[in-house]
Amino acid sequence: MLKTGLWKDSNGESNLFPLTNREWNEIFKTSIAQTVECLIFDGIQKLKVENQPPKALLLNWAVRVEKHAQRNEVMNATILNLHSLFEVEHNIPMTLLKGQGIAKCYDNPLRRICGDIDLFFKNKSDYNQAFSIINKRGLEINPMAGFSAEYKFDGFEVEHHEKMIDIHNPFVFKTLNKIRKDEENKSTFLNISGSSIRLPSAVETIIQANAHILKHLLSFGIGIRQLCDSARIYSFYHEELKNTDLKSIYSKLGIKKWIDMLHQLLVKYLGLDESFLPYPLESKINSDWMMQDILVAGNFGFHNENFKQKESELKGERAYKKRRIWQSFVKYVRVTPSEAIWFPLMQYYSRIKK
């Protein structure tokens, strides 16, 4: 269902159908935990009527999909308000990261479930000036790990970032700076009601999205939605990316072995056409265990059944933080040692610095 919802020309029928009501309810529950219920719903539309879920469940599903579409439209209006506030009124350039900028890579952008709004400011002066404007509005600003801070604006969580890409190894910062310099005049744009919202370049977009997945795998986990983002970016920006040596860039950043595993997941589980990958698929590695981790953790690790009871008692706080991060370190130090080592150190350092 995920593959058929993710790709316009994919056919949903298979010998797996029909499913029982119990199986459909499990798919519904899992799709919510992985924040892909809208894509799964699109996949359902390609099934014969007799193979679709019970009408009551399908109606409930359709209502959720419509609410997500409405929230996407409201978020677009909020992004436009932020653009007007920073760029139009105060001449502070901002770049929209992830979120709605990636949603445009989907056949139907309203089918990507939105989260928060991430803004990047290219220098410390702009970053501080933007927060000065927010301060004057009386909004509460909360510092975050990773040289970022957040606040609520028009009902949405908004994060400001000093860094565009979540790579933590300080020895490759020079490479990141070179990428930023090389891509500075290659920005892409998102059109909202006639206004052009600046996005990272195609190269920065795929590196940033993939690094974001790794960052969360190194902590509490991540859901399938972010894998979908990576697959759709590779497909949407294929022409822009094909002349870039991403293999070399991933190697210089110390994440190529992990990227090779990610590529396997995108092809095997999400149906990405291999031709959209920036270099040939590495077939001699096993990444099934990583997919299993993603299925267990759910969206940003909030649906892990091993910790749900404890976290409900903690009112949303993470349970067993140190133990879980250690377990992630043990798994991923084998495939990306530099990031596995530097991620917790830089998270701690950024908190101390603030």
Side-chain angles (χ1 to χ4, degrees), residues 299-316:
N299 190 44
F300 296 119
F302 283 115
H303 299 270
N304 193 321
E305 293 292 339
N306 297 317
F307 307 108
K308 282 186 80 171
Q309 178 59 41
K310 183 67 175 177
E311 289 183 341
S312 67
E313 297 170 6
L314 297 172
K315 297 180 180 180

Side-chain angles (χ1 to χ4, degrees), residues 87-99:
E87 294 223 12
V88 179
E89 292 181 33
H90 293 91
N91 197 30
I92 304 173
M94 72 175 207
T95 300
L96 179 67
L97 303 180
K98 301 177 288 186

Side-chain angles (χ1 to χ4, degrees), residues 208-257:
Q208 199 274 337
N210 288 346
H212 185 67
I213 293 171
L214 177 57
K215 168 189 168 182
H216 285 284
L217 286 174
L218 289 170
S219 53
F220 302 105
I222 204 161
I224 291 176
R225 178 184 55 164
Q226 281 68 31
L227 298 188
C228 294
D229 287 348
S230 181
R232 290 300 318 188
I233 293 166
Y234 275 130
S235 171
F236 186 83
Y237 285 119
H238 174 62
E239 288 300 317
E240 291 86 344
L241 295 174
K242 67 181 182 181
N243 294 321
T244 301
D245 189 359
L246 278 171
K247 184 176 183 179
S248 174
I249 291 174
Y250 290 144
S251 294
K252 289 176 181 177
L253 294 176
I255 60 173
K256 181 186 171 295
K257 188 175 180 181

Side-chain angles (χ1 to χ4, degrees), residues 159-176:
E159 296 180 5
H160 288 195
H161 302 281
E162 294 182 61
K163 292 173 57 180
M164 178 183 287
I165 297 173
D166 292 318
I167 293 291
H168 302 86
N169 176 6
F171 295 105
V172 300
F173 285 177
K174 185 176 180 180
T175 298
L176 290 174

Side-chain angles (χ1 to χ4, degrees), residues 131 140-144 148-152 157-160:
F131 272 133
E140 182 181 355
I141 299 170
N142 302 304
M144 304 166 60
S148 305
E150 64 177 354
Y151 56 93
K152 273 207 165 183
E157 295 287 343
V158 180
E159 296 180 5
H160 288 195

Side-chain angles (χ1 to χ4, degrees), residues 71-348:
R71 181 170 171 79
N72 269 306
E73 290 173 337
V74 174
M75 175 175 274
N76 284 342
T78 299
I79 291 170
L80 191 56
N81 289 339
L82 288 164
H83 169 76
S84 297
L85 176 64
F86 293 131
E87 294 223 12
V88 179
E89 292 181 33
H90 293 91
N91 197 30
I92 304 173
M94 72 175 207
T95 300
L96 179 67
L97 303 180
K98 301 177 288 186
Q100 303 304 80
I102 293 178
K104 83 168 196 173
C105 299
Y106 287 70
D107 291 329
N108 183 347
L110 298 182
R111 290 301 202 243
R112 183 190 183 274
I113 295 175
C114 62
D116 51 20
I117 298 171
D118 295 87
L119 304 177
F120 167 73
F121 297 90
K122 64 181 181 180
N123 56 54
K124 187 71 173 177
S125 175
D126 288 349
Y127 181 86
N128 290 337
Q129 192 178 350
F131 272 133
S132 175
I133 293 166
I134 295 301
N135 260 326
K136 289 175 182 176
R137 286 185 162 234
L139 301 179
E140 182 181 355
I141 299 170
N142 302 304
M144 304 166 60
F147 307 101
S148 305
E150 64 177 354
Y151 56 93
K152 273 207 165 183
F153 188 95
D154 289 353
F156 288 96
E157 295 287 343
V158 180
E159 296 180 5
H160 288 195
H161 302 281
E162 294 182 61
K163 292 173 57 180
M164 178 183 287
I165 297 173
D166 292 318
I167 293 291
H168 302 86
N169 176 6
F171 295 105
V172 300
F173 285 177
K174 185 176 180 180
T175 298
L176 290 174
N177 290 334
K178 185 178 186 307
I179 294 171
R180 181 83 273 270
K181 186 176 180 180
D182 291 345
E183 301 296 314
E184 194 168 11
N185 297 318
K186 301 177 185 178
S187 296
T188 57
F189 293 89
L190 172 67
N191 185 286
I192 301 178
S193 300
S195 293
S196 295
I197 311 299
R198 186 183 297 102
L199 306 174
S201 71
V203 170
E204 290 170 319
T205 297
I206 190 59
I207 298 172
Q208 199 274 337
N210 288 346
H212 185 67
I213 293 171
L214 177 57
K215 168 189 168 182
H216 285 284
L217 286 174
L218 289 170
S219 53
F220 302 105
I222 204 161
I224 291 176
R225 178 184 55 164
Q226 281 68 31
L227 298 188
C228 294
D229 287 348
S230 181
R232 290 300 318 188
I233 293 166
Y234 275 130
S235 171
F236 186 83
Y237 285 119
H238 174 62
E239 288 300 317
E240 291 86 344
L241 295 174
K242 67 181 182 181
N243 294 321
T244 301
D245 189 359
L246 278 171
K247 184 176 183 179
S248 174
I249 291 174
Y250 290 144
S251 294
K252 289 176 181 177
L253 294 176
I255 60 173
K256 181 186 171 295
K257 188 175 180 181
W258 176 79
I259 289 286
D260 290 342
M261 294 174 60
L262 174 64
H263 286 173
Q264 274 199 349
L265 299 189
L266 301 184
V267 172
K268 180 176 181 179
Y269 290 98
L270 271 67
L272 176 67
D273 191 314
E274 272 189 63
S275 66
F276 291 136
L277 292 175
Y279 54 89
L281 193 67
E282 174 57 66
S283 59
K284 295 181 180 179
I285 55 176
N286 172 35
S287 59
D288 290 341
W289 63 270
M290 188 163 79
M291 190 66 193
Q292 184 61 32
D293 276 358
I294 292 168
L295 286 169
V296 167
N299 190 44
F300 296 119
F302 283 115
H303 299 270
N304 193 321
E305 293 292 339
N306 297 317
F307 307 108
K308 282 186 80 171
Q309 178 59 41
K310 183 67 175 177
E311 289 183 341
S312 67
E313 297 170 6
L314 297 172
K315 297 180 180 180
E317 285 292 314
R318 299 289 191 174
Y320 311 113
K321 293 180 182 179
K322 292 180 180 178
R323 187 177 87 189
R324 291 165 73 179
I325 290 175
W326 172 251
Q327 289 172 342
S328 296
F329 170 82
V330 170
K331 289 177 183 178
Y332 289 98
V333 73
R334 296 173 294 167
V335 290
T336 176
S338 59
E339 280 304 293
I341 291 168
W342 281 105
F343 167 71
L345 294 176
M346 292 302 286
Q347 292 285 296
Y348 177 74

